[in-house]
Amino acid sequence: MSMTAELLYFLASVLFIIGLRGLGSAETARRGLLISEVGMAAAVAGTLLHPDIVTYKWILISAGVGSAIGIAMAALIPMTKMPERIALSHSFGGLAAALVGVSEYSLHHQTVAHSTMGALGFEVLFGGLTFTGSLMAFGKLQGFIPGRNITYPFQNQSNIAMFAGTALLLVLLTIWPSVQFFFYLMFFVAMVLGVLIVIPIGGADMPVVISLLNSYAGLAASATGFAIDNNVLIIAGALDGASGFILSVVMSRAMNRSFGNVLFGAFGKADASAVAALAGSQEIHEATIGDAAMLLSSGQKVIVCPGYGMAVAQAQHAMQALAERLEAEGIEVKYAIHPVAGRMPGHMNVLLAEANVPYDQLKEADEINDEFAEADVALVVGANDVVNPAAKTNPSSPIYGMPVLNADLAKTCIVLKRTMNPGFAGIENELFAMPNTVLVFGDAKDTLEKISQALA
Amino acid sequence: MSHEMFLGLYVFVLAAFVGYGVIGGVPPLLHTPLMAFTNAISGISLVGSLVAAGAEHTTFSTALGFIAVLCSSINVVGGFLITDRMLKMFRKRGGKNA
């Protein structure tokens, strides 16, 4: 590797870290992004100097087409589809790493050193797994594949056996690198495993799965760095891996679950009979648009608890219009954002920022939970499990122990709901039947617009 | 294990700790842009793919490199652009964009 290329790679590594630091606050984030873009340009420039590159023809065509697709996707994808977009790009990342590994192996399988073979094996294993696993996650989010958890007998046992099988193949390959059959069999099994691991996981757990696959994509990139002896790949992959790991932990904690429970738990199998029995016993208080408008305008402080249902109803803009109207009357409005309010980490913040909600109004659960007691109204829009008080009070509830928003502590709680169906986790919500709760049924967007009109 | 491999392990472990520290400081507000951002950065596998696509060792390796460059460049270009699109939407009260 030439001195110039080494220097450019070094520069890229430093710029990536400085750029990521910029994401520590919304004010510096865009500058950080720009710094990392310079780093990426440096790394690509350094690579193009590589003595092995004899023609730029294929590079120009594929990079040109790829860039065009990237530009189009970035410009056209709606913010609600961000989890799908991220899942798809993890899939591309995994595939790219795996294919580089296969290409390297196909050229050097006769001469490759044992340790390099270990790295190549990891690269192809994690790359293949991330490729198909992310495609499955994408399919589930997009609705090609049923979003519910698909289970079959001995599912966990067979997955663990297959994982042990790929690990064994990796060990065998490291000992005998020239046995091509082991290599391609391992790649194949890793891809099958990616499909089978994600199949049983239900839609509500997607934030954890996406974060975990993010981590795997990073590990695959790092392994590529080991295989081709390139530090910038190792560093960028490690940063990506660490990020995915942290986000997985944040998401698991927000759902009060362990990784193992998400991956092997087959959560969300709603006990239909229990749900039906509870639903029948609940006495609810229904309110009209006029009642809701009066409750909202007669208080001093309103805390909005948005859930994914708000995004499904495309009600973010109607919500912000109502918030602005209330603020014009001197009422304080804040948004309480639960970590799993959207379909991926931080998703709800992006959706609300798109609807022009200033980010200083978006409060994390921990930050705002003590304020509910002094709020006049908690307005729950399309949220269910994240405001379920059973998580605090009922040890027999499946979500007991999960951190939730204290919407039940507000003087009045207004819940906008489409129907009386239970939430994503299939669990009944006591909040809806509490004496200080009123429900307004209907499409959230429509309801919010009508409340705004009633206040005009 | 070769000397380079050991050096690589040092680099990996130190970078993972740096990543853990730096990313731990990213507020939940920005977790979606963070994911798109690290996605773009992990498109660094371009570094490996470009060599495979441009080296013309065998048709097989060139073809794999071609697909890998395609995938990586979608992630790099698309990832940076979409992160910027998201970050532009975050504004403080009073209308000033981030």
Side-chain angles (χ1 to χ4, degrees):
Chain A
M1 212 182 290
S2 73
M3 193 59 158
T4 320
E6 286 281 18
L7 276 173
L8 285 169
Y9 286 150
F10 178 68
L11 182 69
S13 309
V14 175
L15 291 180
F16 285 158
I17 294 169
I18 296 175
L20 262 178
R21 261 186 69 93
L23 240 65
S25 91
E27 279 102 53
T28 54
R30 288 189 72 199
R31 198 186 332 139
L33 186 68
L34 189 68
I35 292 170
S36 293
E37 284 168 2
V38 174
M40 185 60 78
V44 170
T47 308
L48 292 176
L49 297 172
H50 200 287
D52 278 6
I53 298 180
V54 291
T55 169
Y56 290 101
K57 182 174 59 177
W58 302 118
I59 291 176
L60 282 174
I61 297 174
S62 59
V65 174
S67 303
I69 296 173
I71 292 170
M73 276 173 70
L76 299 177
I77 281 178
M79 290 298 149
T80 43
K81 292 285 178 195
M82 197 53 64
E84 284 89 331
R85 195 266 165 212
I86 297 286
L88 205 55
S89 59
H90 289 157
S91 173
F92 292 154
L95 181 64
L99 292 183
V100 172
V102 174
S103 163
E104 279 282 312
Y105 183 76
S106 76
L107 297 172
H108 306 299
H109 61 87
Q110 300 293 355
T111 55
V112 66
H114 297 287
S115 54
T116 310
M117 188 63 240
L120 269 180
F122 260 114
E123 178 186 347
V124 168
L125 204 167
F126 274 103
L129 192 107
T130 307
F131 169 50
T132 53
S134 301
L135 268 189
M136 287 297 295
F138 170 73
K140 285 206 166 211
L141 289 163
Q142 185 72 26
F144 297 144
I145 301 157
R148 68 191 161 80
N149 37 5
I150 299 165
T151 52
Y152 50 87
F154 301 109
Q155 190 164 27
N156 288 339
Q157 290 86 334
S158 63
N159 283 350
I160 289 167
M162 281 179 82
F163 195 79
T166 49
L168 179 68
L169 282 169
L170 180 60
V171 172
L172 292 176
L173 259 176
T174 310
I175 303 171
W176 297 290
S178 59
V179 187
Q180 296 187 53
F181 174 73
F182 288 161
F183 182 82
Y184 292 103
L185 181 65
M186 186 188 72
F187 184 32
F188 177 74
V189 178
M191 287 198 286
V192 175
L193 197 57
V195 173
L196 295 182
I197 284 179
V198 179
I199 262 191
I201 298 173
D205 288 337
M206 277 305 145
V208 183
V209 175
I210 294 178
S211 309
L212 215 50
L213 288 166
N214 182 9
S215 193
Y216 290 170
L219 290 179
S222 256
T224 312
F226 278 99
I228 64 174
D229 193 17
N230 185 312
N231 283 336
V232 70
L233 266 167
I234 297 179
I235 292 170
L239 294 174
D240 197 25
S243 169
F245 177 73
I246 289 179
L247 294 177
S248 317
V249 172
V250 170
M251 288 296 106
S252 300
R253 204 173 285 159
M255 294 196 283
N256 194 35
R257 321 248 320 267
S258 65
F259 280 169
N261 189 247
V262 171
L263 293 177
F264 304 113
F267 177 82
K269 262 185 271 176
D271 188 343
S273 58
V275 168
L278 256 169
S281 68
Q282 279 193 334
E283 195 182 318
I284 55 161
H285 316 278
E286 200 175 335
T288 63
I289 302 277
D291 300 338
M294 210 207 43
L295 283 167
L296 283 167
S297 60
S298 56
Q300 299 293 312
K301 181 169 183 170
V302 174
I303 300 178
V304 182
C305 308
Y308 194 65
M310 188 189 72
V312 173
Q314 286 294 324
Q316 305 91 294
H317 286 88
M319 183 59 242
Q320 175 58 6
L322 174 60
E324 278 174 5
R325 181 162 290 284
L326 291 170
E327 285 183 313
E329 292 183 27
I331 299 163
E332 187 187 3
V333 181
K334 287 180 179 173
Y335 291 80
I337 311 293
H338 193 277
V340 292
R343 279 291 171 274
M344 67 177 286
H347 193 197
M348 188 53 71
N349 295 300
V350 173
L351 295 174
L352 289 169
E354 190 190 22
N356 289 321
V357 178
Y359 65 78
D360 38 0
Q361 252 175 299
L362 303 171
K363 302 293 176 190
E364 291 162 38
D366 295 344
E367 199 183 336
I368 201 166
N369 251 346
D370 293 337
E371 291 184 34
F372 276 99
E374 61 198 51
D376 297 290
V377 178
L379 178 61
V380 178
V381 187
N384 190 345
D385 298 331
V386 298
V387 292
N388 193 341
K392 295 183 286 187
T393 56
N394 180 1
S396 67
S397 168
I399 60 166
Y400 181 69
M402 169 175 141
V404 288
L405 301 173
N406 290 332
D408 53 318
L409 300 184
K411 289 191 190 76
T412 312
C413 181
I414 303 176
V415 179
L416 305 191
K417 249 179 114 36
R418 179 175 287 279
T419 62
M420 202 51 216
N421 288 337
F424 220 23
I427 302 153
E428 200 50 57
N429 195 335
E430 294 165 17
L431 175 70
F432 302 156
M434 287 174 69
N436 59 338
T437 300
V438 295
L439 287 99
V440 185
F441 287 104
D443 175 72
K445 185 180 175 205
D446 192 47
T447 308
L448 289 166
E449 281 168 355
K450 282 184 181 151
I451 294 175
S452 285
Q453 282 162 18
L455 287 171
Chain B
M1 220 158 78
S2 66
H3 180 61
E4 284 78 18
M5 203 56 96
F6 262 114
L7 277 182
L9 275 180
Y10 278 102
V11 171
F12 176 75
V13 171
L14 292 176
F17 273 104
V18 169
Y20 196 86
V22 169
I23 289 152
V26 176
L29 176 75
L30 298 177
H31 275 173
T32 296
L34 168 70
M35 215 181 235
F37 191 175
T38 53
N39 231 216
I41 289 180
S42 76
I44 188 75
S45 38
L46 252 184
V47 167
S49 343
L50 286 172
V51 178
E56 286 199 332
H57 287 302
T58 61
T59 314
F60 182 62
S61 71
T62 308
L64 295 184
F66 183 88
I67 303 172
V69 170
L70 186 78
C71 291
S72 309
S73 51
I74 293 176
N75 277 0
V76 169
V77 176
F80 279 132
L81 285 176
I82 207 155
T83 309
D84 195 52
R85 191 178 145 209
M86 280 191 274
L87 291 176
K88 266 195 280 195
M89 299 185 318
F90 285 90
R91 60 170 191 94
K92 263 199 159 142
R93 202 187 299 258
K96 198 184 146 287
N97 274 18

